[in-house]
């Protein structure tokens, strides 16, 4: 299959056939190399020469060329959403100015096609180098299935080429759903038939178009790592495993410091912190659709995050995904229906020794619409352990590596010399449309962050009314010098009363009354 056919070029990348990405890529294996089908290559070469040669000077004409390339790749038209190719015409021919459209077809489309022509050789170079990034640990582009701890290390240039494939709708969709992978082409994003239907997605598309404009002008030279983190079930003395309730109840770990921000956004935090992405179990959620939730905003202002959707299937309850190194390209205003692209953004984050920007995004998915079940012991345990799986610093907590263990080998992925100084920047995870209780959820996150050894929690309330008194509550808990186990037991006690309808008040009011009664 794919990796075997690449022969000596990637001889160290010997994985099972099902791990191969060949059937998910728009390329073919020829002898010992990758290539575009000849007809697609010719199409890309023509478009790379510019609109004077290719006549691709409008969204309508671009859509015809996309159709031709998809036919050459034998991609089923039924895999596309309704009206996607008409959407390219609506956006580029009617929604943006003639000057913007001319610039896009004159400069950006030729550059993207030139980039795609290099994709086969870029992939081969990538696999040649994949085992040398982390001293023999595999970092090559591949499917990392649920319960498989692993890491993929990609150049920003390779990511740009993969996202160009998405823009031209060239990825095969066959079998992606059976592997719990989302659709990755941009067809759904462009699936509108008129100007009025374009509004919800217009600003998402503007962010992505701006990204392509930027990388066409000056290709970034950094790298991005994508890691599936697994908190293993079952006991092992050499690494931290999925905790039971007793683990939390008996913990004497001190609570970390907390900073509350009533304004601002997580991605604007100035320090070194894991930036929590309020993820769906499918990373990226509805980024490539018409919805505009906070996760989708993060993925379009940092489009390199989208690349993870290509090879990272859904997350299980004991998993998180950490992405380090993505660059931000766009500013924005608003949220949901009010979200708007607001122009260029220059990312000034420093780089680490692996040439990654020091932007750390951690994706954790909360229980959707949990209702009263979020107060049940299993609901509390699921949420605190999900957060713990994302925040836990494996290098610090694991005793010694054994190459035979995929989880313990993550100890050898210590790609950050100052990890012990990295806190967590988070917010109303699992609240909002997911329906979580914000007063309980902030406590569960505080517990998980503290137990993971992180030095601080920087919490953004986004002005949520339910958290207006959170500073007073945190101050009271701190004065009591409560540890993780003591706070966990209070959350469990409250939740039992709440589930059993013994109380209707929020956790903050209940806790303050409980502490006052204990003091008296």
């Amino acid at each position: 299959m794919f990796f075997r056919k690449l022969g000596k070029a990637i001889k160290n990348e010997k994985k099972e056939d099902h791990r191969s990405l060949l059937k998910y890529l728009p390329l073919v294996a020829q002898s010992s190399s990758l290539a575009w089908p000849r007809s697609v290559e010719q199409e890309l070469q023509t478009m790379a020469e510019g609109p004077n040669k290719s006549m691709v000077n409008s969204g309508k004409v671009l859509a015809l060329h996309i159709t031709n390339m998809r036919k050459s790749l034998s991609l089923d038209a039924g895999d596309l959403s309704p009206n996607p190719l008409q959407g390219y015409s609506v956006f580029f021919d009617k929604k943006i100015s003639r000057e913007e459209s001319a610039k896009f077809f004159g400069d950006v489309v030729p550059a993207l096609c030139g980039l795609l022509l290099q994709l086969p050789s870029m992939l081969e170079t990538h696999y040649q180098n994949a085992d040398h990034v982390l001293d023999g640990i595999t970092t090559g582009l591949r499917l990392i299935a649920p319960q498989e701890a692993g890491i993929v290390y990609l150049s920003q240039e390779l990511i740009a080429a993969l996202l160009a494939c998405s823009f031209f709708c060239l990825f095969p969709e066959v079998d992606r759903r059976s592997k719990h992978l989302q659709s990755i082409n941009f067809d759904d994003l462009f699936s509108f038939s008129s100007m009025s239907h374009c509004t919800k997605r217009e600003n998402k598309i503007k962010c992505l178009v701006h990204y392509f404009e930027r990388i066409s002008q000056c290709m970034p030279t950094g790298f991005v790592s994508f890691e599936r983190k697994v908190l293993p079930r079952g006991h092992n003395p050499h690494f931290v495993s999925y905790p039971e309730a007793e683990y939390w109840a008996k913990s004497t770990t001190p609570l970390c410091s907390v900073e509350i921000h009533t304004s601002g956004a997580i991605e604007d935090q100035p320090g070194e912190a894991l930036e929590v992405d309020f993820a769906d179990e499918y990373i990226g959620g509805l980024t490539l659709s018409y919805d505009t939730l906070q996760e989708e905003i993060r993925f379009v202002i940092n489009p390199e995050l989208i690349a993870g959707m290509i090879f990272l299937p859904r997350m299980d309850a004991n998993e998180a995904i950490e992405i380090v190194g993505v660059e931000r390209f766009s500013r924005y205003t608003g949220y949901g229906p009010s979200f708007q692209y607001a122009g260029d953004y220059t990312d000034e984050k420093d780089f680490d020794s692996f040439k990654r920007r020091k932007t750390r995004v951690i994706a954790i998915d909360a229980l959707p619409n949990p209702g009263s079940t979020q107060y049940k012991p299993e609901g509390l345990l699921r949420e605190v352990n999900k957060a713990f799986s994302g925040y836990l610093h494996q290098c610090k907590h694991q005793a010694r590596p054994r190459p035979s263990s995929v989880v313990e080998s993550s100890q050898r992925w210590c790609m950050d010399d100052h990890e012990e100084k990295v806190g967590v920047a988070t917010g109303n995870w699992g609240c909002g449309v997911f329906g979580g209780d914000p007063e309980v959820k902030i406590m569960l996150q505080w517990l998980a962050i503290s137990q993971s050894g992180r030095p601080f929690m920087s919490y953004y309330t986004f002005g949520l009314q339910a958290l207006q008194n959170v500073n007073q509550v945190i101050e009271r808990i701190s004065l009591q010098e409560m540890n993780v186990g003591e706070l966990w037991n209070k959350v469990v006690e409250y939740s039992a009363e709440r589930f059993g309808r013994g109380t209707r008040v929020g956790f903050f009011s209940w806790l303050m009354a409980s502490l006052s009664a204990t003091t008296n």
Side-chain angles (χ1 to χ4, degrees):
M1 295 296 288
F2 172 51
F3 288 120
R4 287 201 291 264
K5 287 185 177 181
L6 287 181
K8 294 182 179 179
I10 52 172
K11 62 182 179 180
N12 293 325
E13 190 72 19
K14 293 178 180 177
K15 300 295 180 184
E16 302 89 342
D17 287 344
H18 78 275
R19 295 283 293 276
S20 164
L21 276 183
L22 179 61
K23 64 181 178 180
Y24 303 110
L25 295 174
L27 304 174
V28 294
Q30 295 180 349
S31 182
S32 62
S33 64
L34 288 171
W36 288 101
R38 182 58 184 159
S39 54
V40 176
E41 184 178 31
Q42 290 174 339
E43 193 89 42
L44 291 172
Q45 286 174 341
T46 300
M47 288 195 288
E49 295 183 31
N52 291 335
K53 173 75 172 181
S54 67
M55 304 306 293
V56 179
N57 55 12
S58 69
K60 183 177 181 180
V61 177
L62 174 63
L64 293 174
H65 282 260
I66 290 174
T67 301
N68 291 339
M69 288 191 290
R70 286 183 57 83
K71 286 180 179 177
S72 297
L73 290 164
S74 300
L75 300 181
D76 187 353
D79 288 337
L80 294 179
S81 299
N83 304 311
L85 303 182
Q86 189 173 345
Y88 283 84
S89 177
V90 171
F91 182 81
F92 289 107
D93 302 341
K94 299 177 181 178
K95 200 67 179 177
I96 62 177
S97 69
R98 289 185 179 181
E99 292 76 16
E100 290 173 312
S101 182
K103 178 177 175 57
F104 187 79
F105 291 106
D107 299 334
V108 181
V109 169
L112 294 182
C113 292
L115 183 64
L116 285 177
L117 288 168
Q118 300 174 51
L119 178 59
S121 62
M122 279 195 287
L123 279 170
E124 291 187 29
T125 299
H126 164 75
Y127 285 116
Q128 287 174 349
N129 298 330
D131 287 344
H132 305 293
V133 177
L134 292 176
D135 190 24
I137 299 295
T138 296
T139 63
L141 179 61
R142 65 199 187 281
L143 272 141
I144 304 182
Q147 302 305 312
E148 293 182 17
I151 192 165
V152 167
Y153 182 77
L154 303 176
S155 70
Q156 288 183 277
E157 184 179 30
L158 178 52
I159 290 173
L162 293 170
L163 294 183
C165 286
S166 294
F167 175 75
F168 289 115
C169 298
L170 300 181
F171 280 109
E173 294 289 348
V174 63
D175 292 334
R176 286 187 65 83
R177 291 181 184 85
S178 68
K179 292 292 185 181
H180 303 290
L181 290 162
Q182 295 198 87
S183 296
I184 191 61
N185 290 320
F186 286 6
D187 57 292
D188 195 28
L189 199 57
F190 280 94
S191 183
F192 44 81
S193 58
S194 68
M195 294 276 285
S196 60
H197 294 151
C198 176
T199 305
K200 286 186 178 181
R201 303 166 229 207
E202 173 187 348
N203 286 282
K204 274 189 181 182
I205 296 172
K206 284 183 176 180
C207 287
L208 295 172
V209 165
H210 177 66
Y211 162 74
F212 288 127
E213 290 172 345
R214 281 275 305 275
I215 59 102
S216 297
Q217 294 167 0
C218 182
M219 180 62 68
T221 58
F223 290 81
V224 180
S225 64
F226 301 78
E227 179 185 353
R228 182 183 288 274
K229 301 170 71 172
V230 181
L231 194 58
R233 298 182 185 276
H235 175 71
N236 187 301
H238 299 302
F239 55 81
V240 177
S241 56
Y242 193 83
E244 299 297 334
E246 184 180 18
Y247 172 90
W248 294 101
K250 293 184 176 181
S251 173
T252 58
T253 301
L255 294 169
C256 69
S257 63
V258 179
E259 302 169 356
I260 299 296
H261 306 273
T262 57
S263 61
I266 293 171
E267 64 268 17
D268 293 326
Q269 64 85 24
E272 293 203 31
L274 289 175
E275 299 173 3
V276 178
D277 171 48
F278 308 143
D280 189 283
E281 63 178 342
Y282 292 88
I283 186 172
L286 300 173
T287 298
L288 302 183
S289 73
Y290 59 85
D291 284 331
T292 315
L293 303 176
Q294 195 65 33
E295 178 185 19
E296 286 73 57
I297 292 175
R298 188 65 198 264
F299 272 60
V300 294
I301 65 172
N302 293 89
E304 291 157 341
L305 291 168
I306 296 172
M309 298 168 63
I310 298 172
F311 56 90
L312 290 168
R314 64 165 178 78
M315 290 179 279
D316 285 340
N318 61 329
E319 298 181 321
I321 291 171
E322 183 172 347
I323 303 172
V324 182
V326 291
E327 183 173 352
R328 181 174 170 184
F329 292 86
S330 298
R331 298 182 184 275
Y332 73 94
T333 60
Y335 174 79
S338 65
F339 168 72
Q340 287 191 333
Y341 166 70
D344 181 56
Y345 181 90
T346 301
D347 197 327
E348 297 181 350
K349 285 283 184 73
D350 291 335
F351 291 83
D352 65 15
S353 59
F354 289 87
K355 299 182 181 179
R356 305 174 303 171
R357 287 184 183 273
K358 292 184 178 180
T359 297
R360 308 165 177 85
V361 178
I362 190 76
I364 52 173
D365 57 299
L367 287 169
N369 305 312
S372 62
T373 61
Q374 66 185 300
Y375 302 111
K376 298 176 72 173
E378 55 267 33
L380 296 173
L381 189 62
R382 190 273 183 195
E383 296 296 78
V384 74
N385 282 347
K386 165 61 74 166
F388 190 48
S389 69
Y391 306 150
L392 182 64
H393 174 30
Q394 299 282 10
C395 298
K396 181 177 180 179
H397 284 263
Q398 292 172 2
R400 57 185 176 88
R402 288 187 309 171
S404 61
S405 169
V406 294
V407 176
E408 288 191 359
S409 68
S410 68
Q411 181 173 4
R412 298 170 61 193
W413 304 342
C414 293
M415 299 176 74
D416 205 320
D417 295 334
H418 305 288
E419 186 72 15
E420 69 279 358
K421 299 179 181 179
V422 177
V424 177
T426 187
N428 307 323
W429 172 59
C431 306
V433 296
F434 267 47
D437 182 332
E439 296 183 31
V440 171
K441 277 294 179 62
I442 188 174
M443 295 295 120
L444 293 176
Q445 289 199 78
W446 193 9
L447 291 167
I449 292 167
S450 301
Q451 190 66 26
S452 69
R454 300 286 175 180
F456 65 86
M457 175 174 73
S458 187
Y459 195 97
Y460 291 78
T461 69
F462 299 98
L464 189 65
Q465 189 71 14
L467 298 180
Q468 61 178 332
N469 297 323
V470 65
N471 272 316
Q472 298 172 17
V473 176
I474 289 171
E475 183 179 354
R476 184 64 183 275
I477 291 171
S478 299
L479 286 173
Q480 295 286 128
E481 297 184 344
M482 295 175 70
N483 59 31
V484 166
E486 290 165 340
L487 181 56
W488 166 261
N489 290 328
K490 286 293 185 182
V491 172
V492 171
E493 183 183 350
Y494 165 78
S495 297
E497 289 190 27
R498 183 68 182 265
F499 182 75
R501 299 183 180 180
T503 184
R504 293 184 179 180
V505 302
F507 177 71
F508 290 176
S509 297
W510 179 92
L511 179 67
M512 296 293 268
S514 173
L515 294 178
S516 295
T518 302
T519 303
N520 295 333

